Amino acid sequence: MAAKKEDLKEKLFYKPGNGYDSLTAAEEKKMEAYCEAYKDFLDHGKTERLCVDYCIELAEKEGFKEYKAGMKIKAGDKVYFNNRGKAIMLAVIGKEKLDKGINLTAAHTDAPRLDLKPSPLFEEGEMAYLRTHHYGGIRKYQWLARPLELHGVVVLKNGETVKVNVGADEGDPQFIIEDLLPHLSKPSDNEPLNKAVSSEILRVLVGSRPIGEKDDSERVKMGIMKLLNEKYGMVEEDFISAELEVVPAGKATDIGFDRSLIAAYGHDDRVCAYAEMAGLFDAKNLKKTGVCIFADKEEIGSVGVTGMISEAFEWFMGDMCKTQKVDIRDCFANSFCVSADVTAAYDPNYAEVFEVQNDSKINHGVAFCKYTGHGGKGGASDASAEVVGKLRKLMNDNGVVWQMTQMGKNEQGGGGTVALDLANRNIDTIDAGVPVLAMHAPIETVAKFDCYMTYKCMKTVFEKA
């Protein structure tokens, strides 16, 4: 009787397991190679602009060409559309016409960071600082007392655009935001974390050497401006037409004695962006056209001309549809989309905010999320049972290890992705991505196994959905 009961349990119960229990030596070798390439992508892509630049470099090596309005397309063609240097869409044209729909994946490559204010440079206490405004959801105290880099572009008064990348290359200086020493911190020690460090304190230290005569004013600021003028041709007013981002310094690195994890800045959501790009590169014999998106501005609501709400996606798809005399509405109605975004991995250090039975775990594979949002699913697209079932079957039929997830206990918080923006276009959409530890921290952690399974998921969607 006992044996029969165990057989019944085996047949009827859902028991997700650790992916390493089924990982072959051959697959592990592929996983390690994939993750090394992903780390390289992270090191090249500290900002959304740098991600687009590196994506184009990699895509052109794979035979992709820049898409131009009215371009004739045929099965097997590979094209990309660069949206203002901050977002990008890639497509591999399938055998079927676009009225049959596309297989679409959409990730974002912006990440929480510090942006410079329009007039950022000032001197105080004989030190020079840059004032910042935080972008996206951060815990401000995490940005103190850590090395920082500066990346972006400046449009000079003559209209020339210059690139600024300081802190990533060997021998570069880096920057820092100082913390208060514990000997003097008693007044703030008992304050809530969100009040102990104010946004206005996030001022980046950029220098201390004075120039000129000792009776001159703002001698340190003058020294900084002199260096910026010599290297980039900048004057102070040029900060007004600049997009300069402060991000954590350092390269992606293996974590653990067993090297099973990766720590880096910007896993959210570059870990999914790289997976979908690599999946599209490696997909073979596409029946439907495969499209992958690197979107911008997700961390602040997917707004603007480079965000997922923008009609740039309609322009790209609509122009290709016109070349095939297809109504874009028919294309969207018959499409399938994976909103490729990360989720929160169960962390036993903070078990009180998680719901173990339904939250994702590291090394359990790519995580599907039926709904995000907050409270009573507010702001979620809430994928249908049919959409969840389709993705589940695709993964089971093609050897992809997956798990189902949500985002912590009810009413603990919540989050959003671009899924809502795509579902609103009449495209069947579901979230799927990598579980992340310490999401939105300056340094986040993911499991290599989950990264690799997310890549396999995206490749399968392009080939089989």
Side-chain angles (χ1 to χ4, degrees):
M1 181 65 72
K4 288 184 179 179
K5 185 183 290 185
E6 289 306 312
D7 290 344
L8 198 59
K9 274 189 176 181
E10 186 69 27
K11 178 181 178 181
L12 298 179
F13 282 16
Y14 172 52
K15 293 192 298 185
N18 192 299
Y20 278 94
D21 292 333
S22 60
L23 187 67
T24 66
E27 281 285 274
E28 185 168 6
K29 188 175 181 180
K30 291 178 182 177
M31 177 187 79
E32 291 293 342
Y34 171 82
C35 288
E36 287 304 306
Y38 167 55
K39 289 192 293 183
D40 184 64
F41 176 79
L42 282 176
D43 293 342
H44 281 86
K46 286 293 187 79
T47 70
E48 71 284 357
R49 286 181 182 271
L50 292 173
C51 283
V52 168
D53 288 346
Y54 197 48
C55 177
I56 292 172
E57 181 181 333
L58 295 176
E60 289 183 342
K61 288 178 181 177
E62 295 287 334
F64 283 73
K65 307 293 184 185
E66 185 170 11
Y67 185 81
K68 303 292 185 182
M71 182 184 287
K72 301 298 182 185
I73 53 174
K74 64 182 185 303
D77 284 350
K78 301 176 181 180
V79 295
Y80 68 85
F81 169 54
N82 179 359
N83 185 7
R84 298 167 171 86
K86 300 175 72 175
I88 192 168
M89 303 165 203
L90 303 102
V92 176
I93 309 305
K95 297 171 186 175
E96 295 183 342
K97 285 183 64 175
L98 289 170
D99 60 345
K100 302 298 185 184
I102 63 173
N103 290 325
L104 170 66
T105 63
H108 66 93
T109 53
D110 62 315
R113 61 179 189 257
L114 304 178
D115 288 340
L116 297 195
K117 290 190 174 185
S119 181
L121 183 62
F122 72 101
E123 178 177 336
E124 189 174 303
E126 299 184 12
M127 291 180 281
Y129 297 89
L130 294 171
R131 297 186 192 275
T132 69
H133 194 301
H134 63 274
Y135 171 98
I138 68 169
R139 305 185 79 181
K140 297 184 286 291
Y141 74 91
Q142 294 177 332
W143 288 75
L144 307 180
R146 66 167 55 249
L148 302 168
E149 299 174 8
L150 183 67
H151 299 281
V153 297
V154 181
V155 180
L156 306 179
K157 62 182 179 180
N158 64 3
E160 179 188 358
T161 300
V162 295
K163 293 183 178 181
V164 176
N165 295 294
V166 184
D169 294 338
E170 190 71 29
D172 272 3
Q174 295 176 339
F175 310 99
I176 202 163
I177 301 169
E178 293 300 343
D179 198 359
L180 181 63
L181 62 162
H183 310 71
L184 300 177
S185 66
K186 290 196 182 338
S188 61
D189 281 348
N190 294 322
E191 290 186 5
L193 284 176
N194 64 342
K195 291 185 178 179
V197 178
S198 75
S199 183
E200 294 294 346
I201 286 176
L202 300 179
R203 312 185 308 183
V204 181
L205 180 61
V206 296
S208 68
R209 177 181 293 175
I211 65 172
E213 301 299 323
K214 64 180 180 179
D215 294 330
D216 293 345
S217 62
E218 298 185 296
R219 295 197 298 152
V220 179
K221 177 181 175 179
M222 180 61 73
I224 299 303
M225 278 311 312
K226 183 173 182 291
L227 291 170
L228 293 175
N229 182 261
E230 290 170 351
K231 186 166 185 178
Y232 303 110
M234 286 181 64
V235 297
E236 188 176 6
E237 186 180 322
D238 292 327
F239 279 113
I240 292 172
S241 53
E243 284 186 0
L244 294 171
E245 302 174 14
V246 179
V247 300
K251 294 186 175 182
T253 187
D254 288 350
I255 292 292
F257 289 118
D258 56 6
R259 295 180 176 270
S260 62
L261 305 151
I262 303 170
Y265 166 65
H267 284 312
D268 178 12
D269 184 34
R270 293 161 193 161
V271 67
C272 295
Y274 184 76
E276 62 170 2
M277 179 185 70
L280 185 62
F281 287 172
D282 293 346
K284 307 297 182 189
N285 301 316
L286 299 193
K287 185 177 179 182
K288 288 189 174 184
T289 292
V291 177
C292 94
I293 299 172
F294 285 15
D296 184 25
K297 296 290 189 287
E298 191 275 346
E299 297 294 357
I300 58 170
S302 296
V303 295
V305 292
T306 53
M308 202 62 244
I309 292 175
S310 163
E311 289 194 5
F313 178 52
E314 275 80 355
W315 182 91
F316 177 55
M317 289 307 308
D319 201 72
M320 288 198 294
C321 283
K322 280 193 298 184
T323 68
Q324 294 187 352
K325 296 181 171 54
V326 167
D327 189 328
I328 190 175
R329 294 171 298 179
D330 293 333
C331 176
F332 285 175
N334 294 310
S335 294
F336 182 77
C337 174
V338 171
S339 168
D341 209 339
V342 299
T343 189
Y346 171 74
D347 189 336
N349 286 328
Y350 307 99
E352 65 277 5
V353 300
F354 290 94
E355 202 263 272
V356 179
Q357 186 172 338
N358 284 290
D359 288 335
S360 62
K361 299 177 180 65
I362 63 166
N363 293 324
H364 281 226
V366 58
F368 304 161
C369 190
K370 186 180 189 297
Y371 52 85
T372 52
H374 54 86
K377 299 186 179 179
S381 64
D382 204 356
S384 70
E386 291 84 356
V387 170
V388 178
K390 178 175 180 174
L391 189 60
R392 174 186 166 203
K393 187 174 188 306
L394 271 173
M395 300 302 104
N396 288 341
D397 290 349
N398 291 279
V400 180
V401 180
W402 62 275
Q403 58 185 313
M404 205 66 193
T405 190
Q406 56 170 26
M407 186 78 83
K409 287 182 178 177
N410 293 348
E411 300 180 357
Q412 282 288 341
T417 69
V418 299
L420 179 65
D421 307 317
L422 291 156
N424 284 344
R425 290 171 161 99
N426 194 28
I427 300 174
D428 280 334
T429 304
I430 181 172
D431 280 301
V434 175
V436 176
L437 294 165
M439 189 194 300
H440 279 219
I443 303 297
E444 303 164 319
T445 302
V446 296
K448 290 182 177 180
F449 181 84
D450 301 329
C451 296
Y452 181 61
M453 285 299 151
T454 301
Y455 153 75
K456 288 188 69 174
C457 169
M458 303 304 161
K459 181 174 180 286
T460 299
V461 166
F462 290 128
E463 291 180 336
K464 307 287 187 179

